[in-house]
Amino acid sequence: MPRILEVTGLKKHFPHRSRNTLPWRPRTMVKSVDGVDLDLEVGETLAIVGESGSGKTTLARTVLKLYEPTAGRIVLDGADITEHSLRRMTPIRRNMQMVFQDPVGSLNPRAEVAAIVEEPLRVQGMRPAERRRRVAEMLELVGLNPGYGSRYPHEFSGGQRQRIAIARALSVDPKLVVLDEPVSALDVSIQAQIINLLVELRRELSMSYLFISHDLGVVRQIADRIAVMYLGRIVEEGARDDVLLAPKHPYTQALLSAVPIDNPALRGVRRRRVLAGDTPNPANPPTGCPFRTRCWLATDTCATTAPELLSVSPTQRVSCHVATEPPQTR
Amino acid sequence: MAIRQQQERGAPVLEVRDLTVEIRTKRGTITPVDRLSFTLRGGEVLGLVGESGSGKSVSMMALMGLLPAGAARVTSGTAFLGGTDLLSVSPKRLNSMRGGVVSMVFQDPMSALNPVMRVGDQVMEAVRVHHRGLGRKGLRARAVELLELVGITDAGERMNAYPHEFSGGMRQRVMIAMAAANEPAVIIADEPTTALDVTVQAQILELLQDMKERIGSAIILITHDLGVIAEIADRVMVMYAGGKVEEAAVQPIFDAPRHPYTASLLASMPKLSGAVTTMRTIPGAPPDLLALPQGCRFNPRCPLADGRTECHTRAPELVHLDGGQQSACHFPAEVEKAFSRSSDQIEEGGERA
Ligand SMILES: Nc1ncnc2c1ncn2[C@@H]1O[C@H](COP(=O)(O)OP(=O)(O)OP(=O)(O)O)[C@@H](O)[C@H]1O
Ligand code: SF4
Ligand SMILES: [Mg+2]
């Protein structure tokens, strides 16, 4: 299968601003993304899941080159774009679009819907008459009345605004769409509408999605593969059902067990692994394995050596010293 | 303490009748809460579920006397807690009850806590308001005890920290400590875990359960997440466009909902089990409170309403069904059939307008 995206060793570190940093002290860095490898096939959806602060959004924005990568390589559709300048990125942008979580904040409140949807088309240099036609087509595609083009964002509900954001992203026929928590701000009934729409559009337009979410139930509806992030690294990655039904990394197991039950009859039936404490500060991560401070399997090795992401089957990779040990030594 | 004594399991603690709230907005006057009645019983967790804008928060703010002054007012209703009607007592008296016999936990602890005041001082203040006699030493001891109770390690030291030094989960623990400080008869928790990660949510739900057992408060838990309801509610009220559309014990809500809105919500909940198929959705969006549909407020989105005159002409009253279940639908007996056809063709996705 041809790949639309290949990311290797990607890092994004930010200088850490802390109240008690003095100018003569060496500045510490927050390692928001710290060595991520991932690839995405044409027509595939890879979901990135993780809790707040795990680096999901930073990863998305770095992949799109909205942030300069600190290290690593990004290959989009066969072309290495890691070193591309802003100007050289412009023609490439039409192949990689983004949809954000907040359908209110991401749409210019003073612009008409038509102007919002056609903006990427204008950047790509499409002529006005053609743009108008395309805008009507896009609104129709996402289930909105094409006549809505002359209205303003505040006249729409949250779900409708997210449809507008999707219409804008898809207007340029991108090959890759990065969706950062696109349904998290929506009510469940609207959430389901948008998920169905995204699934349907991907099928029709043969795009690839990098789908960022903290909600495993939502991810299950849309992903082919799932990557689980913790403190800037991917700790487990695999086919959807491998990760959801047979998670190997202790963090994935804990995360899944924390998802609320969907019927009260299951109370007390499912074993819950309640993680103690909070995620460590990414400015000061643990040595060795990032998860070891909350891990019930941790050994001495975990404190000293960072585990690598290793294959445990052709469709599943795990970064854990204990989970990837060959069975006979366990 | 008359109220405490009534708190045997199952005895009514808070009885709300016909609560109606009006709010003046720029576009006109809305009724975000319309004749809401319910009874909260001792020792229970009553889940209040519904989509954004259904009136969950406004109804609870009304009970607590916390509606925005000026624009909003309670136009009818009573809410008896012990012998006191929360809706007609003087603001001063209500003030003294808040944090005493009834307290609140909010979604965003950061905005409920004072950012420039030490955590310990805030907890001590919550205790002091209702224990005027206690000296500083006594207050401090009680505050440390409370923080330990909600699972904050090194509570003695953490007393000196400021809220921003705590994680979201720890701040919510502090809020729960403050809400529990005076062993209230009723705790109202408005989306207490919505802003938290799932692993932290699991901790906080466990803590709420635990606190309820220890101090014997009854809890009203507002949430839009049916998963949270499935985890800890004993009974459930479902609100839609300002009114209660269904109420039942938690298991029948999930197994045999008697209102199409409840059934639709359940069907559009993303689950981790079962087959992955196209998700069932509720077409359209909740109504504009200034332009409510004629008849049943749910009719534009209801799979049963097609061709049924009653739905479009007459607003359904809440009816009492078997087993204490209540539904505000003209056809409660048909819900099960309409939603059991698993692969059926409820309108999908698109909003056509
Ligand atoms: N201060 C206010 N001024 C004007 N309208 C208000 C005000 N507060 C609430 N409303 C309106 O009252 C209705 C009910 O709001 P409420 O906050 O109770 O909903 P909710 O069920 O708690 O929703 P959410 O799930 O979003 O918290 C909404 O239409 C809302 O816009
Ligand atoms: S009364 Fe009619 S429209 Fe309303 S919920 Fe029942 S069937 Fe649907
Ligand atoms: Mg609310």
Side-chain angles (χ1 to χ4, degrees):
Chain A
M1 257 300 192
R3 291 192 174 150
I4 181 69
L5 180 70
E6 284 180 77
V7 169
T8 33
L10 194 67
K11 293 187 181 181
K12 180 63 196 173
H13 298 174
F14 294 102
H16 178 49
R17 262 164 289 146
S18 137
R19 240 166 283 266
N20 31 26
T21 305
L22 300 168
W24 56 87
R25 293 246 174 88
R27 269 202 305 191
T28 56
M29 301 299 271
V30 183
K31 300 174 177 175
S32 300
V33 173
D34 201 26
V36 164
D37 297 339
L38 57 86
D39 47 56
L40 189 54
E41 288 176 6
V42 172
E44 190 186 37
T45 297
L46 171 65
I48 311 278
V49 304
E51 298 184 281
S52 56
S54 59
K56 306 181 294 293
T57 297
T58 308
L59 174 63
R61 305 190 72 117
T62 313
V63 164
L64 289 176
K65 294 259 307 182
L66 297 175
Y67 292 146
E68 267 324 296
T70 305
R73 213 162 73 97
I74 306 163
V75 177
L76 180 75
D77 205 14
D80 189 334
I81 59 166
T82 322
E83 305 286 329
H84 273 28
S85 63
L86 213 60
R87 200 160 52 81
R88 285 187 66 199
M89 279 306 292
T90 308
I92 287 168
R93 291 260 180 251
R94 68 167 296 173
N95 279 331
M96 43 198 311
Q97 288 287 313
M98 185 147 181
V99 175
F100 299 91
Q101 166 171 359
D102 175 14
V104 183
S106 65
L107 302 179
N108 177 355
R110 274 188 277 274
E112 288 182 2
V113 167
I116 291 171
V117 174
E118 72 169 8
E119 208 245 1
L121 296 167
R122 219 186 42 215
V123 174
Q124 297 303 329
M126 189 186 270
R127 277 201 299 272
E130 219 173 318
R131 288 205 306 253
R132 262 195 303 282
R133 230 199 23 248
R134 183 79 179 145
V135 167
E137 197 179 295
M138 292 317 296
L139 290 177
E140 180 108 61
L141 185 69
V142 299
L144 291 173
N145 186 327
Y148 285 176
S150 55
R151 300 197 185 178
Y152 290 88
H154 73 255
E155 299 174 56
F156 294 92
S157 67
Q160 287 175 318
R161 288 191 198 127
Q162 204 54 300
R163 287 173 194 267
I164 296 169
I166 292 168
R168 173 178 60 183
L170 302 192
S171 65
V172 285
D173 251 332
K175 293 182 177 163
L176 170 67
V177 185
V178 177
L179 301 122
D180 190 3
E181 304 267 12
V183 299
S184 304
L186 307 175
D187 274 317
V188 276
S189 72
I190 313 297
Q191 212 175 56
Q193 294 172 5
I194 300 292
I195 293 169
N196 285 349
L197 174 69
L198 287 170
V199 170
E200 205 178 289
L201 290 172
R202 193 199 71 179
R203 211 182 298 129
E204 272 172 40
L205 308 175
S206 59
M207 299 170 287
S208 307
Y209 288 158
L210 192 61
F211 187 94
I212 310 231
S213 178
H214 68 279
D215 186 333
L216 289 159
V218 166
V219 157
R220 180 169 180 267
Q221 287 294 328
I222 197 164
D224 300 309
R225 281 190 300 131
I226 299 175
V228 182
M229 279 188 87
Y230 188 81
L231 277 183
R233 293 186 227 181
I234 292 178
V235 296
E236 177 156 13
E237 183 267 313
R240 178 189 65 201
D241 290 347
D242 288 345
V243 173
L244 294 183
L245 301 176
K248 297 286 187 299
H249 197 285
Y251 175 64
T252 316
Q253 292 171 359
L255 192 61
L256 273 162
S257 88
V259 175
I261 48 179
D262 54 37
N263 191 302
L266 297 172
R267 277 184 202 170
V269 173
R270 200 177 60 176
R271 276 257 304 288
R272 171 150 297 158
R273 175 77 67 185
V274 175
L275 282 181
D278 297 301
T279 315
N281 183 349
N284 185 19
T287 56
C289 172
F291 186 58
R292 69 167 169 91
T293 52
R294 304 169 81 193
C295 184
W296 58 96
L297 298 174
T299 62
D300 292 345
T301 321
C302 305
T304 53
T305 319
E308 281 177 57
L309 197 59
L310 300 175
S311 294
V312 292
S313 86
T315 53
Q316 194 168 11
R317 297 186 297 160
V318 182
S319 168
C320 167
H321 292 303
V322 180
T324 56
E325 246 171 57
Q328 63 273 21
T329 67
R330 252 193 244 176
Chain B
M1 293 210 104
I3 294 169
R4 287 232 67 87
Q5 280 151 21
Q6 288 184 11
Q7 270 194 232
E8 295 141 48
R9 273 196 115 73
V13 178
L14 172 66
E15 297 194 78
V16 177
R17 293 292 168 268
D18 282 326
L19 171 63
T20 302
V21 179
E22 283 185 5
I23 300 184
R24 274 200 320 272
T25 73
K26 268 181 279 171
R27 296 163 54 226
T29 299
I30 57 173
T31 309
V33 181
D34 192 5
R35 287 171 299 138
L36 177 68
S37 300
F38 68 91
T39 300
L40 176 69
R41 296 173 184 282
E44 77 173 349
V45 176
L46 175 61
L48 176 50
V49 69
E51 289 178 279
S52 190
S54 56
K56 306 183 295 294
S57 298
V58 170
S59 53
M60 295 305 127
M61 294 303 220
L63 296 181
M64 298 289 284
L66 294 174
L67 288 174
R73 65 195 185 97
V74 174
T75 53
S76 80
T78 55
F80 279 95
L81 177 61
T84 314
D85 179 7
L86 297 178
L87 300 177
S88 63
V89 290
S90 68
K92 198 167 152 230
R93 171 103 173 83
L94 194 55
N95 244 330
S96 75
M97 294 175 78
R98 231 183 285 130
V101 287
V102 49
S103 63
M104 250 187 124
V105 177
F106 297 93
Q107 170 173 343
D108 177 13
M110 201 54 196
S111 63
L113 290 167
N114 181 343
V116 296
M117 190 171 167
R118 289 179 201 278
V119 166
D121 292 339
Q122 300 192 51
V123 180
M124 282 163 67
E125 180 61 23
V127 178
R128 191 186 63 86
V129 175
H130 297 272
H131 295 84
R132 299 272 176 197
L134 224 52
R136 191 160 169 90
K137 244 203 186 122
L139 283 175
R140 194 180 163 83
R142 175 76 180 136
V144 171
E145 185 189 355
L146 280 165
L147 289 177
E148 276 167 356
L149 206 60
V150 296
I152 292 194
T153 44
D154 306 324
E157 258 166 67
R158 302 283 199 151
M159 291 276 287
N160 298 320
Y162 289 93
H164 74 87
E165 298 174 58
F166 279 19
S167 68
M170 276 170 49
R171 288 198 283 263
Q172 201 55 293
R173 286 176 192 272
V174 173
M175 284 305 302
I176 291 171
M178 288 165 65
N182 304 296
E183 311 200 336
V186 177
I187 296 178
I188 299 176
D190 191 350
E191 307 263 6
T193 61
T194 303
L196 305 174
D197 282 324
V198 276
T199 57
V200 183
Q201 165 168 285
Q203 296 169 2
I204 296 295
L205 291 180
E206 208 164 81
L207 173 65
L208 271 176
Q209 279 283 49
D210 182 52
M211 295 301 282
K212 187 197 77 169
E213 300 299 329
R214 277 171 199 260
I215 64 180
S217 307
I219 297 181
I220 300 178
L221 179 79
I222 303 183
T223 178
H224 64 279
D225 185 345
L226 284 163
V228 169
I229 294 283
E231 288 282 347
I232 76 164
D234 299 309
R235 230 148 36 84
V236 184
M237 286 201 286
V238 183
M239 281 187 81
Y240 187 77
K244 176 165 75 175
V245 294
E246 180 156 9
E247 180 180 325
V250 69
Q251 199 63 57
I253 285 284
F254 283 80
D255 294 345
R258 297 299 201 88
H259 194 285
Y261 177 62
T262 314
S264 305
L265 271 185
L266 282 163
S268 52
M269 175 184 179
K271 296 189 184 79
L272 279 180
S273 57
V276 180
T277 52
T278 304
M279 293 184 77
R280 289 181 50 155
T281 65
I282 312 178
D288 180 348
L289 293 179
L290 281 169
L292 287 170
Q294 284 289 316
C296 174
R297 291 175 180 188
F298 189 56
N299 77 48
R301 310 177 77 191
C302 181
L304 295 181
D306 239 6
R308 289 184 152 113
T309 329
E310 294 94 318
C311 301
H312 299 274
T313 53
R314 210 156 48 78
E317 291 291 319
L318 208 55
V319 290
H320 291 254
L321 308 163
D322 306 345
Q325 197 155 352
Q326 302 168 24
S327 164
C329 167
H330 291 307
F331 304 99
E334 302 201 20
V335 176
E336 198 170 349
K337 202 166 83 227
F339 282 83
S340 64
R341 292 166 292 148
S342 54
S343 60
D344 76 75
Q345 14 11 31
I346 292 222
E347 277 294 309
E348 218 177 78
E351 290 170 61
R352 317 265 165 222

